[in-house]
Amino acid sequence: MTMTADINALIAQMAVALQPYLDRRPIMIGIHTGGTWIAQKLHQSLGLSDPLGALDISFYRDDFTRVGLNPQVKTSDLPESVDGRHIILVDDVLHTGRTIRAAMNEIFDYGRPESVVLAVLVERDGRELPIQADVVGQHCTLTPGQHIKLVGPEKLALKVLEDNA
Amino acid sequence: MTVADIQFDEQGQLKHFLTIEGLKRDHILQILDTAQSFITLAKKEIKKAPLLRGKTVVNLFFESSTRTRTTFEIAAKRLSADVINLNPQHSATSKGETLLDTVNNLEAMHTDLFVVRHPNSGAANLIAKHVPPHVRIINAGDGRHAHPTQAMLDMFTIRAHKGDVKNLQVAIVGDILHSRVARSQIHALTTLGAAQVRVIAPKTLLPTEVERLGVHPYTNMHEGLRDADVVIMLRLQRERMNGAFVPSEQEFFNLYGLTADKLAYAKQDAIVMHPGPMNRGLEIDSSVADGPQSVILPQVTYGIAVRMAIMALIMGGKPVARKRRTSGSTRGSNGTTST
C-alpha cells in the first residue's frame, strides 16, 4: 500500500519548521539510507552553507551480537568537526528510537556538539527509548504488524508494509 | 572436512577466517566493502567503534611479527575489544605445553577470538576444529600454507589504487615456494578474476605445477613484468630455506631484485607492493621501495581497516530469518531506517 502523502509537501513543511534553528549555523546530518534522501532535499531548500553529512550507524547498532553486521555498510561522512556545532539530525522514520540512539553515539565519537535536534519525515508509534523528534513531517499510528518504509531515491514514496505481506 | 568447510557455518557465513581458498567473490567483496567503511573511522576524534565491546581477543603468535601483530592489536582495540598479546614460544611452549593445551587454557579465560600465527601449516585449522562453537579463529599466517588477511589487505590496496582487479595484470615476484602470502594472494586474485596473474622466480623458488593454481610462471623478470599493472615483491625467506635455493644474494638481486630499470618494463603507472619486512638490496632496491610507485606503507594502513572488517564480520551475530518488526535491520538499497 502506498500512502498518498505528498513527500515534497511534507519536506517543505519540515523546512519551515526548521527555520528557527538556522541562525545557529547548523550542520545537517542524514542517516543512511532514507534519512540522507530527506536531508539532501532539506539541505538544498534551506540553503545551508556547511556540506551535508551522512551517517551509517551499522557499527553502532545495539543488535550486532544478535544479527551481525549489515552486509551493505555505507561510509559515514561527517563535516571536519562537530565540536561546539549545532546539529540537525535527519531520518526518514522514527519508530523504536534505537537508530537515533546509535546515531548520537556515533556523532559523539566525532566530537562534542553544542546541540542536536531531530527532524524526521514520519513519526510513528512504537518508541522503545525516551527519544522524540523536534520537527516532524507527519505523525502516524499503525496497527500491529504494519511498517512504514520510504522508497526512492528517484521518486520518494512512503509504503506501508504488512508483516505477512 | 576441508579447511573451506571449517570456516563456514551452516548458513554459509564466515565464522573463522583461515584461508582464501573456498571463498566466493562475494565474500571477498563484502570484506573489502566493509573495510572501506572502517577507513573513515580513523578520521574521528575517537577512533573507535563499539562492535567488539566486552569481547576478548588473544593474539597468539608462535612466530615473531611486528606489522601483522600490531595491526591486529590496533584493529581489535578500535573495535573496542580487550586484547592480550602472547608469544607462547617464549613461555608455555618452551615449558612443553602442547598447542591445544595452550588454547584450552586461554579459552578457559573466556577468550572470544584467537588470532593465530604459527610456523606449522594447518595450525589455525587445528585450533578451529578444536574450540567450542562460540570461539572464532583468524589465521595470521601458518607455515607455508596461508596468510589470508595479508592477501585481503593486498586486494584492498590494489582496488584503492588501480580500481577493479578484473582488468589488471598482476605479477608476484620472488620466493613463491616458501610464501604463504603468495598462495593466499593467488587465490584472492583468481577469485576476483584478475586478467592475468604471473609469478616470477628462479625455478628453484617456484612450486612444482604452480600453473595449476591458474597462474603464468616466468623465470625472466623482463618478460614477466612486461605491461604489468601491479608488481608484488616477496621477501626472500632465508629462515625457511634449508639448502641452496639461490646461488648468492648478489646474483638473486641482479636477476630478480626490483630496480627502477626492471620496473620500467611494467606499465608506467604500475604500483609496487611488498608485504614486509623488506630486504632492501636483496629483493627490492631502495629507490623503488621509497619511490613514487610504491604503495608499501599504504598497505600497512589499509591492513588495520581490513582486519577490523574481518573481525567484525566473523564476530557478529548470525543473521537469522528476521521478522519485519525491526525493519530497520534490513536496510537494502531502497531500505529505510525506521527503528
Side-chain angles (χ1 to χ4, degrees), chain A residues 31-34 37 58-61 63-76 83 91-93 95-99 108-110 128 147-151 162-163 165, chain B residues 30 33-34 36-38 40-41 43-46 48-52 55 312-313 315-320 322-339:
Chain A
I31 300 176
H32 276 301
T33 305
W37 300 337
S58 298
F59 299 148
Y60 289 80
R61 293 185 65 93
D63 54 4
F64 170 71
T65 50
R66 286 196 297 125
V67 301
L69 201 58
N70 179 351
Q72 291 160 318
V73 182
K74 306 260 193 330
T75 299
S76 288
D83 260 333
D91 205 358
D92 50 1
V93 180
H95 177 198
T96 62
R98 289 176 192 271
T99 296
F108 275 74
D109 278 357
Y110 282 87
E128 292 167 4
H147 306 278
I148 190 159
K149 189 178 166 86
L150 181 70
V151 293
E162 307 284 337
D163 245 355
Chain B
Q30 189 190 4
D33 290 344
T34 306
Q36 187 63 49
S37 314
F38 280 119
T40 51
L41 202 85
K43 291 186 195 157
K44 296 194 306 185
E45 194 165 289
I46 296 168
K48 274 186 185 285
L51 291 178
L52 300 192
K55 304 284 186 200
L313 286 167
M315 294 287 285
K318 291 291 146 268
V320 284
R322 270 174 251 141
K323 284 183 289 177
R324 277 245 191 76
R325 207 192 69 76
T326 51
S327 56
S329 51
T330 51
R331 296 145 56 102
S333 56
N334 65 348
T336 173
T337 53
S338 59
T339 52

Coordinates of all heavy atoms in Angstrom, one line a residue, chain A residues 31-34 37 58-61 63-76 83 91-93 95-99 108-110 128 147-151 162-163 165, chain B residues 30 33-34 36-38 40-41 43-46 48-52 55 312-313 315-320 322-339:
Chain A
I31 N 20.8 10.2 8.1 CA 21.1 8.8 8.4 C 20.8 7.9 7.2 O 19.7 8.0 6.6 CB 20.3 8.3 9.7 CG1 20.6 9.2 10.9 CG2 20.6 6.9 10.0 CD1 19.8 8.9 12.1
H32 N 21.8 7.1 6.8 CA 21.6 6.2 5.7 C 20.5 5.3 5.9 O 20.3 4.8 7.0 CB 22.9 5.4 5.5 CG 24.0 6.1 4.6 ND1 23.7 6.5 3.4 CD2 25.2 6.4 4.9 CE1 24.8 7.1 2.9 NE2 25.8 7.0 3.8
T33 N 19.7 5.0 4.9 CA 19.7 5.5 3.6 C 18.6 6.5 3.3 O 18.9 7.6 2.8 CB 19.5 4.3 2.6 OG1 20.5 3.3 2.9 CG2 19.6 4.7 1.1
G34 N 17.4 6.2 3.9 CA 16.3 7.1 3.7 C 16.5 8.5 4.2 O 16.1 9.5 3.6
W37 N 18.3 10.9 1.9 CA 17.5 11.4 0.8 C 16.7 12.6 1.3 O 16.6 13.6 0.6 CB 16.5 10.3 0.3 CG 17.1 9.1 -0.2 CD1 18.4 8.9 -0.7 CD2 16.5 7.8 -0.2 NE1 18.6 7.6 -1.0 CE2 17.5 6.9 -0.8 CE3 15.3 7.2 0.1 CZ2 17.3 5.5 -1.0 CZ3 15.0 5.9 -0.1 CH2 16.0 5.0 -0.7
S58 N 25.7 1.4 11.2 CA 25.9 0.0 11.3 C 26.9 -0.4 12.4 O 26.7 -1.5 13.1 CB 26.4 -0.6 10.0 OG 25.5 -0.4 9.0
F59 N 27.9 0.3 12.6 CA 29.0 0.0 13.6 C 28.5 0.3 15.0 O 29.2 0.1 16.0 CB 30.3 0.7 13.3 CG 30.9 0.3 11.9 CD1 31.6 1.2 11.2 CD2 30.7 -1.0 11.4 CE1 32.2 0.9 10.0 CE2 31.2 -1.3 10.2 CZ 31.9 -0.4 9.5
Y60 N 27.3 1.0 15.1 CA 26.9 1.4 16.5 C 25.5 0.8 16.8 O 25.0 1.1 17.9 CB 26.7 2.9 16.5 CG 28.1 3.6 16.5 CD1 28.8 3.7 15.3 CD2 28.7 4.0 17.7 CE1 30.1 4.3 15.3 CE2 29.9 4.6 17.6 CZ 30.6 4.8 16.5 OH 31.8 5.3 16.4
R61 N 25.1 -0.2 16.0 CA 23.8 -0.8 16.3 C 23.8 -1.6 17.6 O 24.9 -2.2 17.9 CB 23.4 -1.7 15.1 CG 23.1 -0.9 13.8 CD 22.5 -1.9 12.8 NE 21.2 -2.4 13.2 CZ 20.1 -1.9 12.9 NH1 20.0 -0.8 12.1 NH2 19.0 -2.4 13.3
D63 N 22.1 -4.3 18.0 CA 21.8 -5.7 17.8 C 22.9 -6.5 17.1 O 22.6 -7.5 16.5 CB 20.4 -5.8 17.0 CG 20.4 -5.0 15.8 OD1 21.5 -4.4 15.4 OD2 19.4 -4.9 15.1
F64 N 24.1 -5.9 17.1 CA 25.2 -6.6 16.4 C 25.4 -8.0 16.9 O 25.6 -8.9 16.1 CB 26.5 -5.7 16.6 CG 27.8 -6.4 16.1 CD1 28.0 -6.6 14.8 CD2 28.7 -6.9 17.1 CE1 29.2 -7.2 14.4 CE2 29.8 -7.5 16.7 CZ 30.1 -7.7 15.3
T65 N 25.4 -8.2 18.2 CA 25.6 -9.5 18.7 C 24.5 -10.5 18.4 O 24.7 -11.7 18.4 CB 25.9 -9.5 20.2 OG1 24.8 -8.8 20.8 CG2 27.2 -8.9 20.6
R66 N 23.3 -10.0 18.0 CA 22.2 -10.8 17.6 C 22.2 -11.1 16.1 O 22.0 -12.2 15.7 CB 20.9 -10.3 18.1 CG 20.7 -10.4 19.6 CD 19.2 -10.2 19.9 NE 18.8 -8.8 19.6 CZ 17.7 -8.5 18.8 NH1 17.0 -9.5 18.3 NH2 17.4 -7.3 18.5
V67 N 22.3 -10.0 15.3 CA 22.1 -10.2 13.9 C 23.3 -10.0 13.1 O 23.3 -10.2 11.8 CB 21.0 -9.2 13.4 CG1 19.7 -9.5 14.1 CG2 21.4 -7.8 13.5
G68 N 24.4 -9.6 13.7 CA 25.7 -9.4 12.9 C 25.7 -8.1 12.2 O 24.9 -7.2 12.3
L69 N 26.7 -8.0 11.3 CA 27.0 -6.7 10.6 C 26.1 -6.6 9.4 O 25.9 -7.6 8.7 CB 28.5 -6.7 10.2 CG 29.1 -5.3 10.0 CD1 29.0 -4.4 11.2 CD2 30.6 -5.5 9.6
N70 N 25.6 -5.4 9.2 CA 24.8 -5.1 8.0 C 25.7 -5.5 6.8 O 26.8 -5.0 6.7 CB 24.5 -3.6 8.0 CG 23.7 -3.2 6.8 OD1 23.6 -3.9 5.8 ND2 23.2 -2.0 6.8
P71 N 25.2 -6.3 5.9 CA 26.0 -6.7 4.7 C 26.3 -5.5 3.8 O 27.2 -5.6 3.0 CB 25.2 -7.7 4.0 CG 23.8 -7.6 4.5 CD 23.9 -7.0 5.9
Q72 N 25.6 -4.4 3.9 CA 25.9 -3.3 3.0 C 26.2 -2.0 3.8 O 25.3 -1.1 3.8 CB 24.7 -3.0 2.0 CG 24.6 -4.2 1.0 CD 23.2 -4.2 0.4 OE1 22.2 -4.0 1.2 NE2 23.1 -4.3 -0.8
V73 N 27.3 -2.0 4.5 CA 27.6 -0.8 5.2 C 28.1 0.3 4.3 O 28.8 0.1 3.4 CB 28.8 -1.2 6.2 CG1 29.1 0.1 7.0 CG2 28.5 -2.3 7.1
K74 N 27.5 1.5 4.5 CA 27.9 2.6 3.8 C 28.9 3.4 4.6 O 29.1 3.1 5.8 CB 26.7 3.5 3.5 CG 25.5 2.8 2.8 CD 25.6 3.1 1.3 CE 24.3 2.7 0.6 NZ 23.6 1.5 1.2
T75 N 29.5 4.4 4.0 CA 30.6 5.1 4.7 C 30.0 6.3 5.4 O 29.2 7.1 4.8 CB 31.6 5.6 3.7 OG1 32.2 4.4 3.1 CG2 32.7 6.4 4.3
S76 N 30.3 6.5 6.6 CA 29.9 7.7 7.3 C 30.8 8.9 6.8 O 32.0 8.7 6.7 CB 30.1 7.6 8.8 OG 29.1 6.7 9.3
D83 N 32.5 19.7 16.9 CA 32.8 20.3 18.2 C 32.1 21.6 18.3 O 32.4 22.5 17.5 CB 34.3 20.4 18.4 CG 34.8 19.3 19.3 OD1 34.1 18.8 20.1 OD2 36.0 19.0 19.2
D91 N 16.2 11.8 9.8 CA 15.9 10.4 9.4 C 14.6 10.4 8.7 O 13.8 11.3 8.8 CB 16.0 9.5 10.6 CG 16.4 8.1 10.2 OD1 16.5 7.8 9.0 OD2 16.5 7.2 11.1
D92 N 14.3 9.2 8.1 CA 13.0 9.1 7.4 C 11.9 8.8 8.4 O 10.9 9.4 8.4 CB 13.1 8.2 6.2 CG 13.7 6.8 6.6 OD1 14.1 6.6 7.7 OD2 13.9 6.0 5.7
V93 N 12.1 7.7 9.2 CA 11.0 7.2 10.0 C 11.6 7.1 11.5 O 12.6 6.5 11.7 CB 10.5 5.8 9.6 CG1 9.3 5.4 10.5 CG2 9.9 5.9 8.2
H95 N 10.8 5.3 14.8 CA 10.0 4.2 15.3 C 10.4 3.8 16.7 O 9.9 4.4 17.7 CB 10.1 3.0 14.3 CG 9.3 1.8 14.7 ND1 9.6 0.6 14.2 CD2 8.3 1.7 15.6 CE1 8.7 -0.3 14.7 NE2 8.0 0.3 15.6
T96 N 11.4 2.9 16.9 CA 11.7 2.5 18.2 C 12.6 3.5 18.9 O 12.7 3.6 20.1 CB 12.5 1.1 18.2 OG1 13.7 1.3 17.4 CG2 11.7 0.1 17.5
G97 N 13.4 4.3 18.1 CA 14.3 5.2 18.7 C 15.7 4.7 18.8 O 16.7 5.4 19.1
R98 N 15.9 3.4 18.4 CA 17.3 2.8 18.5 C 18.3 3.3 17.5 O 19.4 3.4 17.8 CB 17.1 1.3 18.4 CG 16.5 0.6 19.7 CD 16.3 -0.8 19.5 NE 15.4 -1.3 20.6 CZ 15.9 -1.7 21.8 NH1 17.2 -1.7 22.1 NH2 15.0 -2.1 22.7
T99 N 17.8 3.6 16.3 CA 18.7 4.1 15.3 C 19.2 5.5 15.8 O 20.4 5.8 15.6 CB 17.9 4.3 14.0 OG1 17.5 3.0 13.5 CG2 18.8 5.0 12.9
F108 N 28.9 11.6 18.7 CA 29.7 12.0 19.9 C 31.2 11.4 19.8 O 32.1 11.9 20.5 CB 29.1 11.6 21.2 CG 28.1 12.7 21.6 CD1 26.9 12.8 21.0 CD2 28.4 13.6 22.6 CE1 26.0 13.8 21.3 CE2 27.5 14.6 23.0 CZ 26.3 14.7 22.4
D109 N 31.4 10.4 18.9 CA 32.8 10.0 18.7 C 33.5 10.9 17.7 O 34.7 10.8 17.6 CB 32.8 8.5 18.1 CG 32.6 7.5 19.2 OD1 32.6 7.9 20.4 OD2 32.6 6.3 18.9
Y110 N 32.8 11.8 17.1 CA 33.4 12.8 16.2 C 33.7 14.1 17.0 O 34.4 15.0 16.5 CB 32.6 13.1 15.0 CG 32.6 12.0 13.9 CD1 31.8 10.9 14.0 CD2 33.5 12.2 12.9 CE1 31.8 10.0 13.0 CE2 33.6 11.2 11.9 CZ 32.7 10.1 11.9 OH 32.8 9.2 10.9
E128 N 10.7 2.7 21.9 CA 11.3 1.8 23.0 C 12.3 2.5 23.8 O 12.9 2.0 24.7 CB 11.9 0.5 22.3 CG 10.9 -0.4 21.7 CD 11.4 -1.4 20.7 OE1 12.7 -1.5 20.6 OE2 10.6 -2.1 20.1
H147 N 4.4 -1.7 9.0 CA 5.6 -1.0 9.0 C 5.5 0.1 7.9 O 4.9 -0.2 6.9 CB 6.8 -1.9 8.7 CG 6.8 -3.0 9.6 ND1 7.4 -2.9 10.9 CD2 6.3 -4.3 9.5 CE1 7.2 -4.1 11.5 NE2 6.6 -4.9 10.7
I148 N 6.2 1.2 8.1 CA 6.2 2.2 7.1 C 7.6 2.4 6.6 O 8.6 2.3 7.3 CB 5.6 3.5 7.7 CG1 5.4 4.5 6.5 CG2 6.5 4.1 8.7 CD1 4.4 5.6 6.9
K149 N 7.8 2.6 5.3 CA 9.1 2.5 4.7 C 9.1 3.5 3.6 O 8.2 3.7 2.8 CB 9.2 1.1 4.0 CG 10.5 0.7 3.5 CD 10.4 -0.8 3.0 CE 11.5 -1.2 2.1 NZ 12.6 -1.7 2.9
L150 N 10.3 4.2 3.5 CA 10.5 5.2 2.5 C 11.2 4.5 1.3 O 12.3 3.9 1.5 CB 11.3 6.4 3.0 CG 11.6 7.5 2.0 CD1 10.3 8.3 1.7 CD2 12.6 8.5 2.5
V151 N 10.7 4.6 0.1 CA 11.4 4.1 -1.1 C 11.9 5.3 -1.9 O 11.2 6.3 -1.9 CB 10.6 3.1 -1.9 CG1 10.3 1.8 -1.1 CG2 9.2 3.7 -2.3
E162 N 2.8 -4.9 5.4 CA 2.3 -5.8 6.4 C 3.3 -6.9 6.7 O 4.0 -7.3 5.8 CB 1.0 -6.4 5.9 CG -0.1 -5.5 5.4 CD -0.8 -4.7 6.5 OE1 -0.8 -5.3 7.6 OE2 -1.3 -3.6 6.2
D163 N 3.3 -7.4 8.0 CA 4.2 -8.4 8.4 C 4.1 -9.6 7.5 O 5.1 -10.3 7.1 CB 3.9 -8.8 9.8 CG 5.1 -8.5 10.7 OD1 6.2 -8.1 10.1 OD2 5.0 -8.7 11.9
A165 N 2.9 -9.8 4.5 CA 2.9 -9.4 3.1 C 3.9 -10.2 2.3 O 5.0 -10.5 2.8 CB 3.0 -7.9 2.9
Chain B
Q30 N 32.6 -8.4 0.1 CA 31.9 -7.9 1.3 C 33.0 -7.4 2.3 O 32.8 -6.4 3.0 CB 31.0 -9.0 1.9 CG 30.2 -8.4 3.1 CD 29.5 -9.5 3.9 OE1 29.7 -10.7 3.6 NE2 28.7 -9.0 4.8
D33 N 34.4 -4.1 1.0 CA 33.5 -3.0 1.1 C 33.3 -2.6 2.6 O 33.3 -1.4 2.9 CB 32.1 -3.4 0.6 CG 32.1 -3.5 -0.9 OD1 33.0 -3.0 -1.6 OD2 31.2 -4.2 -1.5
T34 N 33.3 -3.6 3.5 CA 33.2 -3.3 4.9 C 34.4 -2.5 5.4 O 34.4 -1.6 6.1 CB 33.0 -4.6 5.7 OG1 31.9 -5.3 5.2 CG2 32.7 -4.3 7.2
Q36 N 36.3 -0.6 3.7 CA 36.2 0.8 3.2 C 35.5 1.6 4.2 O 35.9 2.8 4.4 CB 35.5 0.8 1.8 CG 35.5 2.1 1.1 CD 36.9 2.5 0.7 OE1 37.6 1.7 0.2 NE2 37.2 3.8 1.0
S37 N 34.4 1.1 4.8 CA 33.7 1.9 5.8 C 34.5 2.1 7.0 O 34.3 3.1 7.7 CB 32.4 1.2 6.2 OG 31.7 0.7 5.0
F38 N 35.4 1.2 7.3 CA 36.2 1.4 8.5 C 37.4 2.4 8.3 O 37.9 2.9 9.3 CB 36.8 0.1 9.0 CG 35.9 -0.8 9.8 CD1 35.5 -2.0 9.3 CD2 35.3 -0.3 11.0 CE1 34.6 -2.8 10.1 CE2 34.5 -1.1 11.7 CZ 34.1 -2.3 11.3
T40 N 37.1 5.4 7.3 CA 36.8 6.7 7.8 C 36.8 6.8 9.3 O 36.9 7.9 9.8 CB 35.4 7.1 7.3 OG1 34.5 6.1 7.6 CG2 35.3 7.4 5.8
L41 N 36.8 5.7 9.9 CA 36.9 5.6 11.4 C 38.1 6.4 11.9 O 38.0 7.0 13.0 CB 36.9 4.2 11.9 CG 36.4 3.9 13.3 CD1 34.9 3.8 13.3 CD2 37.1 2.7 13.8
K43 N 39.3 8.9 10.9 CA 39.2 10.4 10.9 C 38.5 10.9 12.1 O 38.4 12.1 12.4 CB 38.3 10.8 9.7 CG 39.0 10.6 8.3 CD 38.2 11.1 7.2 CE 38.6 10.6 5.9 NZ 37.6 10.7 4.9
K44 N 37.8 10.0 12.9 CA 37.1 10.5 14.0 C 38.0 10.9 15.2 O 39.1 10.4 15.3 CB 36.1 9.4 14.6 CG 35.1 9.0 13.6 CD 34.0 8.2 14.2 CE 34.5 7.0 15.0 NZ 33.4 6.2 15.5
E45 N 37.5 11.8 16.0 CA 38.3 12.2 17.2 C 38.5 10.9 18.1 O 39.6 10.7 18.6 CB 37.5 13.2 18.0 CG 38.4 14.0 19.0 CD 37.7 15.2 19.4 OE1 37.6 16.2 18.6 OE2 37.2 15.3 20.6
I46 N 37.4 10.2 18.2 CA 37.5 8.9 19.0 C 37.5 7.8 18.0 O 36.5 7.4 17.4 CB 36.4 8.8 20.0 CG1 36.5 9.9 21.0 CG2 36.4 7.4 20.7 CD1 35.3 10.1 21.9
K48 N 37.2 4.8 17.5 CA 36.7 3.5 17.9 C 35.2 3.3 17.5 O 34.5 4.2 17.2 CB 36.7 3.5 19.5 CG 38.0 3.0 20.1 CD 37.8 2.9 21.6 CE 39.1 2.6 22.3 NZ 39.6 1.2 22.2
A49 N 34.9 2.0 17.3 CA 33.5 1.6 17.1 C 33.2 0.6 18.2 O 34.2 -0.2 18.6 CB 33.3 1.0 15.7
P50 N 32.0 0.5 18.7 CA 31.8 -0.4 19.9 C 31.5 -1.8 19.6 O 31.0 -2.5 20.5 CB 30.6 0.3 20.5 CG 29.9 1.0 19.4 CD 30.9 1.3 18.3
L51 N 31.7 -2.3 18.3 CA 31.2 -3.6 17.9 C 31.7 -4.7 18.8 O 31.0 -5.7 19.1 CB 31.6 -3.9 16.5 CG 30.9 -3.0 15.4 CD1 31.4 -3.4 14.0 CD2 29.4 -3.2 15.5
L52 N 33.0 -4.7 19.2 CA 33.5 -5.9 20.0 C 33.7 -5.5 21.5 O 34.5 -6.1 22.2 CB 34.8 -6.4 19.4 CG 34.8 -6.8 18.0 CD1 36.1 -7.6 17.6 CD2 33.6 -7.8 17.7
K55 N 34.4 -8.1 24.4 CA 35.0 -9.3 23.8 C 36.5 -9.3 24.1 O 37.1 -8.3 24.2 CB 34.8 -9.4 22.3 CG 33.3 -9.3 21.9 CD 32.6 -10.5 22.2 CE 31.2 -10.4 21.6 NZ 30.2 -11.4 22.2
A312 N 35.0 -8.0 12.6 CA 33.6 -7.6 12.8 C 32.6 -8.6 12.1 O 31.6 -9.0 12.6 CB 33.3 -6.2 12.2
L313 N 33.0 -9.0 10.9 CA 32.1 -9.9 10.1 C 32.0 -11.3 10.8 O 31.0 -11.9 10.8 CB 32.6 -10.1 8.7 CG 32.4 -8.8 7.8 CD1 33.1 -8.9 6.5 CD2 30.9 -8.7 7.5
M315 N 32.6 -12.0 14.0 CA 32.2 -11.9 15.4 C 30.8 -11.5 15.6 O 30.3 -11.6 16.7 CB 33.1 -10.9 16.2 CG 34.6 -11.3 16.3 SD 34.8 -12.7 17.4 CE 34.6 -11.8 19.0
G316 N 30.1 -11.0 14.5 CA 28.8 -10.6 14.6 C 27.8 -11.8 14.8 O 28.2 -12.9 14.6
G317 N 26.6 -11.4 15.3 CA 25.6 -12.5 15.5 C 25.2 -13.0 14.1 O 25.5 -12.4 13.1
K318 N 24.6 -14.1 14.1 CA 24.2 -14.7 12.8 C 22.9 -14.1 12.3 O 22.0 -14.0 13.1 CB 24.0 -16.2 13.0 CG 25.3 -17.0 13.3 CD 26.2 -16.9 12.0 CE 27.7 -16.9 12.4 NZ 28.2 -15.5 12.5
P319 N 22.9 -13.6 11.1 CA 21.7 -13.1 10.6 C 20.6 -14.2 10.6 O 20.8 -15.3 9.9 CB 22.0 -12.7 9.2 CG 23.5 -12.7 9.1 CD 24.0 -13.7 10.1
V320 N 19.6 -14.1 11.3 CA 18.5 -15.1 11.4 C 17.4 -14.6 10.5 O 17.3 -13.4 10.2 CB 18.0 -15.3 12.8 CG1 19.0 -16.1 13.6 CG2 17.8 -14.0 13.5
R322 N 14.6 -12.8 9.9 CA 14.1 -11.8 10.8 C 12.6 -11.5 10.5 O 12.2 -11.5 9.3 CB 14.9 -10.5 10.6 CG 16.0 -10.5 11.6 CD 16.9 -9.3 11.2 NE 18.1 -9.7 10.7 CZ 18.7 -9.0 9.7 NH1 18.2 -8.0 9.1 NH2 19.9 -9.5 9.2
K323 N 11.9 -11.2 11.5 CA 10.5 -10.7 11.3 C 10.7 -9.3 10.9 O 11.6 -8.6 11.2 CB 9.7 -10.8 12.6 CG 9.3 -12.2 12.9 CD 8.4 -12.3 14.1 CE 9.3 -12.0 15.4 NZ 8.5 -11.9 16.6
R324 N 9.7 -8.8 10.2 CA 9.8 -7.4 9.7 C 9.6 -6.4 10.8 O 9.8 -5.2 10.6 CB 8.6 -7.2 8.7 CG 9.0 -7.6 7.3 CD 9.0 -6.5 6.3 NE 9.1 -6.9 5.0 CZ 8.1 -7.4 4.3 NH1 6.9 -7.4 4.9 NH2 8.2 -7.7 3.1
R325 N 9.4 -6.9 12.0 CA 9.2 -5.9 13.1 C 10.3 -4.9 13.2 O 10.1 -3.7 13.4 CB 9.0 -6.7 14.4 CG 8.2 -6.0 15.5 CD 8.3 -6.6 16.8 NE 9.7 -6.4 17.3 CZ 10.1 -5.3 17.9 NH1 9.3 -4.2 17.9 NH2 11.3 -5.1 18.3
T326 N 11.5 -5.4 13.1 CA 12.6 -4.5 13.1 C 13.1 -4.2 11.7 O 14.1 -4.6 11.3 CB 13.8 -5.1 13.9 OG1 14.1 -6.4 13.4 CG2 13.5 -5.2 15.3
S327 N 12.2 -3.6 10.9 CA 12.5 -3.4 9.5 C 13.8 -2.5 9.3 O 14.4 -2.6 8.3 CB 11.4 -2.7 8.8 OG 11.1 -1.5 9.5
G328 N 14.2 -1.9 10.4 CA 15.4 -1.1 10.2 C 16.7 -1.9 10.1 O 17.7 -1.5 9.7
S329 N 16.6 -3.2 10.4 CA 17.8 -4.0 10.4 C 17.9 -4.7 9.0 O 18.8 -5.5 8.7 CB 17.7 -5.1 11.5 OG 16.5 -5.8 11.4
T330 N 17.0 -4.4 8.1 CA 17.1 -4.9 6.7 C 17.2 -3.7 5.8 O 16.2 -3.3 5.2 CB 16.0 -5.8 6.3 OG1 14.8 -5.1 6.6 CG2 16.0 -7.1 7.1
R331 N 18.3 -3.0 5.8 CA 18.4 -1.8 5.1 C 19.0 -2.0 3.8 O 20.2 -1.9 3.6 CB 19.3 -0.8 5.9 CG 18.6 -0.4 7.2 CD 19.7 -0.2 8.3 NE 20.6 0.8 7.9 CZ 20.6 2.0 8.3 NH1 19.7 2.4 9.1 NH2 21.5 2.9 7.9
G332 N 18.2 -2.4 2.8 CA 18.7 -2.6 1.5 C 18.8 -1.3 0.7 O 18.8 -0.2 1.3
S333 N 19.0 -1.4 -0.6 CA 19.2 -0.2 -1.4 C 18.0 0.7 -1.4 O 18.2 1.9 -1.4 CB 19.5 -0.7 -2.8 OG 18.4 -1.4 -3.3
N334 N 16.8 0.2 -1.2 CA 15.7 1.1 -1.1 C 15.3 1.0 0.4 O 14.1 1.3 0.7 CB 14.6 0.7 -2.0 CG 14.0 -0.7 -1.7 OD1 14.6 -1.4 -0.9 ND2 12.9 -1.0 -2.3
G335 N 16.2 0.7 1.2 CA 15.8 0.4 2.6 C 15.6 1.7 3.4 O 15.8 2.8 2.9
T336 N 15.2 1.6 4.6 CA 14.9 2.8 5.3 C 15.4 2.5 6.7 O 15.9 1.4 7.1 CB 13.4 3.0 5.3 OG1 13.1 4.1 6.2 CG2 12.6 1.8 5.7
T337 N 15.3 3.5 7.6 CA 15.9 3.4 8.9 C 14.8 3.6 9.9 O 14.8 4.6 10.6 CB 17.0 4.4 9.1 OG1 16.5 5.7 8.7 CG2 18.2 4.1 8.2
S338 N 13.9 2.7 10.0 CA 12.7 3.0 10.7 C 12.7 2.5 12.2 O 11.8 2.7 12.9 CB 11.5 2.4 10.1 OG 11.6 1.0 9.9
T339 N 13.9 2.0 12.6 CA 13.9 1.6 14.1 C 14.2 2.8 14.9 O 14.9 3.7 14.5 CB 15.0 0.5 14.3 OG1 16.2 1.0 13.8 CG2 14.6 -0.8 13.8

